[in-house]
Amino acid sequence: MVGPAAKREAVAHLQAVMNLSERRACLIAGADRKMVRYRSRRPADTALRARLRELANERRRFGYRRLFILLRREGEPSGINRIYRLYREEGLTVRKRRARRRAIGIRAPILVEVRANARWSLDFVHDQMANGRRFRILNIVDDVTRECLAAIPDTSISGRRVARELTDLIARRGKPGIIVSDNGTEFTSHAIFAWTKDHAIDWHYIAPGKPMQNGFVESFNGRMRDELLNKTLFFGLEHARRAIAYWKEDYNTGRPHSALGYQTPAAFAAKLATGHHAALSDGSACRPVALTAREGILMPGL
């Protein structure tokens, strides 16, 4: 019993169960009588608690730091310690699974310039609809700005479809310096080889069985799985497209990103575009973006 609340409970228990006096109970529990009699004068914060619960229900996988950012956007002056206390008192802690720690060995990172379109990452995520029909989502992420450039759901996505979507994305956003993916059949098809040659774009394939070498998009996939796919029941492909498009827009423009100093990816990209290279709000320098792979395969324009 090291906290005042625990000692008050112990004193109350001794008085109720063993019929001891307050003085005797405090002596046994090691509590001060003034502390036992103290009653908090702290305001109830009813409105703030209600808004915190409301935001936590809307964003079930957000911790207190991101909820604090959202409250600050609404003009709430409270500090993060107060928000954390209310967050704990309301029982809003997000449970996280423990990951096994593994030895990673020596890595030789490939650094890229801190700018938009320096490197894109691609990967697929799978899910199923209410009727049991499975579908997949092609996710394209900018590794520097952390923006989700595309999240394309469909029942089947071939290599030709991937090439077509990349062509449309380049027309809207510009050409990437390098593209990173795994060795899936869609990414190693003749259509992709021909596309990289026509567009003169380097395509880097990670080592087989090493998803950590494509960590940026894998992390994004985890957030999408945790915050959208695991809690949404899709009633059809059109429903999935609408829900994923809405979540993608919110991810880019509304969701605070911890790796960017709790800025949104869109705001961070805007600062980079205007020349603010030290765009992290916490004052630290921009983290170097590196592909943590030593044995990956680089496919230049064929």
Side-chain angles (χ1 to χ4, degrees):
M1 296 181 296
V2 295
K7 290 183 178 181
R8 290 192 194 100
E9 292 179 3
V11 170
H13 175 78
L14 291 173
Q15 288 182 289
V17 176
M18 304 186 68
N19 199 25
L20 298 180
S21 66
E22 180 185 89
R23 183 189 302 275
R24 179 75 171 171
C26 288
L27 181 63
I28 294 174
D32 188 274
R33 295 178 68 186
K34 292 181 180 179
M35 180 196 70
V36 172
R37 296 177 181 180
Y38 173 77
R39 295 296 178 265
S40 175
R41 298 181 181 178
R42 182 179 288 161
D45 296 321
T46 305
L48 179 57
R49 289 174 184 269
R51 182 55 183 159
L52 185 61
R53 287 195 303 269
E54 182 180 347
L55 285 174
N57 287 330
E58 293 175 1
R59 312 276 189 163
R60 292 183 180 275
R61 300 303 299 177
F62 277 21
Y64 75 94
R65 291 184 179 87
R66 286 195 174 90
L67 294 177
F68 167 72
I69 297 295
L70 297 181
L71 288 171
R72 271 295 172 90
R73 290 180 184 174
E74 297 177 357
E76 172 58 46
S78 300
I80 192 169
N81 291 336
R82 184 184 186 189
I83 299 301
Y84 177 67
R85 175 176 59 81
L86 298 180
Y87 179 84
R88 292 294 300 271
E89 290 177 359
E90 294 297 318
L92 301 176
T93 304
V94 179
R95 293 184 178 181
K96 296 182 179 180
R97 294 187 298 269
R98 292 186 177 181
R100 289 178 56 193
R101 296 183 178 272
R102 296 180 175 89
I104 56 178
I106 300 174
R107 295 175 175 177
I110 302 173
L111 300 179
V112 298
E113 185 180 354
V114 181
R115 62 174 179 84
N117 291 344
R119 189 174 71 201
W120 295 354
S121 295
L122 280 68
D123 199 11
F124 284 101
V125 176
H126 297 78
D127 203 49
Q128 66 179 15
M129 293 175 275
N131 60 8
R133 188 180 186 185
R134 299 189 64 81
F135 68 98
R136 58 199 328 213
I137 307 166
L138 172 63
N139 286 329
I140 306 175
V141 176
D142 188 309
D143 291 353
V144 175
T145 66
R146 306 300 204 275
E147 293 172 284
C148 175
L149 307 182
I152 305 159
D154 211 332
T155 54
S156 177
I157 301 178
S158 63
R160 291 183 179 181
R161 174 74 180 280
V162 173
R164 189 165 64 249
E165 296 292 347
L166 286 172
T167 301
D168 295 341
L169 183 58
I170 288 175
R172 298 194 307 268
R173 184 179 175 88
K175 183 177 175 180
I178 188 173
I179 295 178
V180 182
S181 76
D182 58 21
N183 296 270
T185 56
E186 300 83 5
F187 302 138
T188 56
S189 64
H190 290 295
I192 292 298
F193 291 158
W195 183 86
T196 56
K197 180 179 179 180
D198 294 341
H199 291 78
I201 293 178
D202 290 336
W203 195 297
H204 183 96
Y205 294 99
I206 65 173
K210 300 288 185 181
M212 68 288 293
Q213 294 178 3
N214 203 13
F216 293 103
V217 72
E218 291 289 346
S219 175
F220 173 81
N221 291 345
R223 301 286 76 73
M224 174 180 277
R225 175 74 63 189
D226 195 30
E227 298 174 12
L228 175 67
L229 302 182
N230 283 352
K231 71 173 189 176
T232 307
L233 186 62
F234 300 109
F235 296 100
L237 192 57
E238 288 302 320
H239 178 213
R241 285 171 177 164
R242 291 194 301 269
I244 291 170
Y246 177 83
W247 185 85
K248 168 182 169 290
E249 182 65 20
D250 179 72
Y251 181 89
N252 286 335
T253 60
R255 181 186 186 276
H257 202 300
S258 59
L260 304 178
Y262 290 98
Q263 301 176 83
T264 63
F268 182 76
K271 288 187 177 182
L272 287 182
T274 57
H276 292 81
H277 294 292
L280 289 175
S281 61
D282 60 2
S284 62
C286 291
R287 299 176 177 87
V289 179
L291 183 64
T292 55
R294 194 164 93 172
E295 61 271 5
I297 307 167
L298 184 62
M299 290 295 296
L302 298 176

